[in-house]
Amino acid sequence: MNIVLLISDTFRYDNLFERAAMPVRTPNLDAFARRAVSLERMFTGSYPTIPHRTDLTTGRHGTPWHPWQPLEKNSANHLPRLLGGDYVSQLLCDCPHLFPANFPQGFTAAQHVRGQEGDMCFLRMNYPVEAVMPREKTRKGARLMGGSIPDLHRWQHRDWRGEEDRFAPRTAGLAVRWLEENYRYHPFFLWVDFFDPHEPWDPPEYMVARYDPDYTGTPMIHPNYGTTDDLTPEEARNMRAHYCAEAELVDRWAGRVLQKIDDLQLWDNTVVVFTTDHGMSLGERRRMGKSNISWNDSRYWPTYPEIAHIPFMIAAPGLQGGRSVDALLQPCDIAPTLLDLAGRPAAPEDPFQGVSFAPLLRGERAP
C-alpha cells in the first residue's frame, strides 16, 4: 500500500462536523470522513509538536522520559525506514520544527516551506518592524529588533496579497505536484505536514469576517497564552475567528490533496490519514492558548479536552468508510497500524510500545 499522511498542527477535534461553539467550515474533511473510519477517542500523547510526531513515527512513548529533542535521541525507529527499501518516501512541510529535529533523515527526499512562526528565512531590513498587536495581548517574549511573533510574521510576509500566498496553499500545492509526478510509482510514503492552524493566525481577513463580521478593532492574530481576562470579549471572539478561518483554509487546501488522490485513482491502493498533534484553548476556562506563557496568569494549565482530544481519520482499501471506532488510542499506536495496513512486517529497532488498531478498523473485536 501507498501511504499519504496529512498532519495539521493545532487542529481541534471539534473543528469537524460543526461541533464547536463557533463552527468551522470543513466541507472537505467532512466529506473525507464519509470515506474514512474516524477514531473518536484518539488523544495526544507526548506534547506538543516534536514530541507528538516522535511518538507517531517511532511507535513509542516519549513523555515523560524524553523532552523536546532531536528524533534520534528518543529512538532509532522512524516510519520511513521501518517501511523498508522498496518504498520511496517524501516529507513536505511548512512546520518549522521538523528539519531542526532531524525528521528528514530516513526519507528519500524532504522539502521545507520556510517562514512559519518567526522562522527568519528572509530579512527585510529596509522596512521597520511595526507593532501588529498590543504587546500585553499576545504571547510574551521579543525576537529580532524587539518585535513580537505577530510583528515579525507580518514584517517578513509583508508582500502577501491573496489566499495562495499563505502556507497551507503552498504546502498543499507541493503535495499535489508531488502526487502528479510520482503516482505511477508503487509503493510510496508521502508525509504532508501543515503547521496551520498553528498561530500566527493570518488567513485573508475576508475569511475571518465570515466568523466575526462586526469586529472593527485590531486583528487578533496571535493568542496571549494566558487568561482571557487580558482581552475584551470582542477581542477574544476575534482571536477565535482568526483561528477558525485558518482551520477552514487548511480544510480547503487539504481538500485539494484529497481531490488529487481521487483524480489519480489512488484510493484502491493507498492508505490516507488526516490527524493533528493537539488542539487549542480558545476561551474555554478563561484560557487562550495551549500552555501558560503569560504576563498575568499564574495558573497551572492541564491538557484539557479541547487540547488533548484530537481528530484521526483513516481511509484504506478494504475498510468500510463512514464508521467510527470508540477505542481509547494514542499517537504511538499509529506506526504499528500503518505497517499492519501496508502489509509490512514490523521490525523496529526499539520494540513498539504502541499497538496496531488495524483489527478495529476492519470491524474485528480486539483489545
Side-chain angles (χ1 to χ4, degrees):
M1 295 286 178
N2 304 318
I3 300 172
V4 177
L5 172 63
L6 305 175
I7 298 179
S8 171
D9 201 290
T10 319
F11 197 95
R12 285 173 54 132
Y13 172 82
D14 64 1
N15 286 347
L16 301 172
F17 310 115
E18 298 190 345
R19 293 184 180 109
M22 185 184 287
V24 180
R25 297 172 182 86
T26 55
N28 295 290
L29 291 172
D30 292 351
F32 176 59
R34 294 191 286 273
R35 181 187 290 274
V37 181
S38 297
L39 287 305
E40 298 300 336
R41 288 203 297 152
M42 175 73 79
F43 286 83
T44 194
S46 303
Y47 171 81
T49 312
I50 290 303
H52 162 269
R53 288 159 177 79
T54 301
D55 283 13
L56 184 157
T57 199
T58 63
R60 294 175 59 83
H61 292 291
T63 301
W65 297 279
H66 304 293
W68 178 311
Q69 62 185 8
L71 173 62
E72 70 277 6
K73 290 189 175 183
N74 287 53
S75 172
N77 297 351
H78 193 15
L79 190 52
R81 287 197 295 260
L82 292 169
L83 285 165
D86 56 336
Y87 271 80
V88 297
S89 54
Q90 174 78 56
L91 173 63
L92 300 174
C93 68
D94 59 76
C95 175
H97 305 303
L98 295 183
F99 272 58
N102 296 334
F103 270 71
Q105 62 180 344
F107 281 91
T108 311
Q111 188 163 345
H112 178 196
V113 180
R114 296 286 304 274
Q116 280 273 33
E117 199 189 20
D119 171 28
M120 287 290 106
C121 61
F122 192 84
L123 297 177
R124 298 178 182 273
M125 302 303 291
N126 289 348
Y127 307 95
V129 176
E130 297 175 351
V132 172
M133 290 176 59
R135 184 58 61 89
E136 69 275 9
K137 296 182 185 292
T138 189
R139 176 176 164 177
K140 70 179 182 181
R143 306 274 180 106
L144 182 69
M145 297 189 295
S148 66
I149 292 175
D151 299 342
L152 293 174
H153 175 82
R154 283 283 178 86
W155 175 71
Q156 188 168 203
H157 305 301
R158 61 185 296 112
D159 55 351
W160 280 7
R161 294 294 181 268
E163 177 180 333
E164 294 192 12
D165 295 324
R166 271 67 180 179
F167 287 102
R170 289 159 61 191
T171 299
L174 282 175
V176 165
R177 180 64 182 270
W178 192 93
L179 288 167
E180 290 179 339
E181 297 274 6
N182 294 278
Y183 75 97
R184 292 193 187 98
Y185 184 88
H186 179 82
F188 64 76
F189 171 41
L190 174 63
W191 180 327
V192 184
D193 209 301
F194 300 98
F195 198 47
D196 292 340
H198 192 289
E199 69 281 354
W201 301 316
D202 199 15
E205 283 295 321
Y206 57 78
M207 293 182 68
V208 180
R210 294 182 67 185
Y211 293 93
D212 191 18
D214 300 324
Y215 184 75
T216 58
T218 300
M220 294 284 109
I221 71 169
H222 201 283
N224 60 341
Y225 278 70
T227 175
T228 53
D229 296 347
D230 292 342
L231 309 168
T232 68
E234 293 77 17
E235 288 169 339
R237 179 178 176 84
N238 189 252
M239 204 168 268
R240 184 165 192 140
H242 276 83
Y243 171 87
C244 291
E246 192 145 293
E248 180 182 354
L249 199 62
V250 169
D251 172 85
R252 180 176 300 173
W253 288 91
R256 301 288 199 277
V257 181
L258 297 171
Q259 180 61 56
K260 187 55 60 176
I261 291 170
D262 194 68
D263 294 343
L264 300 173
Q265 302 180 63
L266 290 171
W267 294 112
D268 290 340
N269 64 351
T270 304
V271 178
V272 182
V273 171
F274 177 85
T275 190
T276 188
D277 50 0
H278 54 77
M280 185 71 145
S281 291
L282 295 171
E284 297 86 0
R285 307 165 219 275
R286 297 173 36 248
R287 289 168 164 83
M288 187 69 72
K290 64 179 180 284
S291 57
N292 189 347
I293 313 174
S294 172
W295 304 100
N296 300 319
D297 194 347
S298 60
R299 294 175 296 174
Y300 174 69
W301 282 34
T303 49
Y304 288 111
E306 55 269 21
I307 295 172
H309 193 185
I310 61 176
F312 187 98
M313 298 185 291
I314 182 166
L319 299 185
Q320 179 185 347
R323 296 184 300 112
S324 62
V325 168
D326 196 40
L328 184 63
L329 302 166
Q330 287 195 289
C332 67
D333 299 318
I334 296 171
T337 302
L338 292 178
L339 291 168
D340 192 343
L341 292 172
R344 309 298 291 187
E349 294 186 51
D350 296 324
F352 285 147
Q353 294 168 326
V355 177
S356 171
F357 51 83
L360 296 170
L361 299 174
R362 299 184 183 113
E364 303 167 11
R365 295 179 61 87

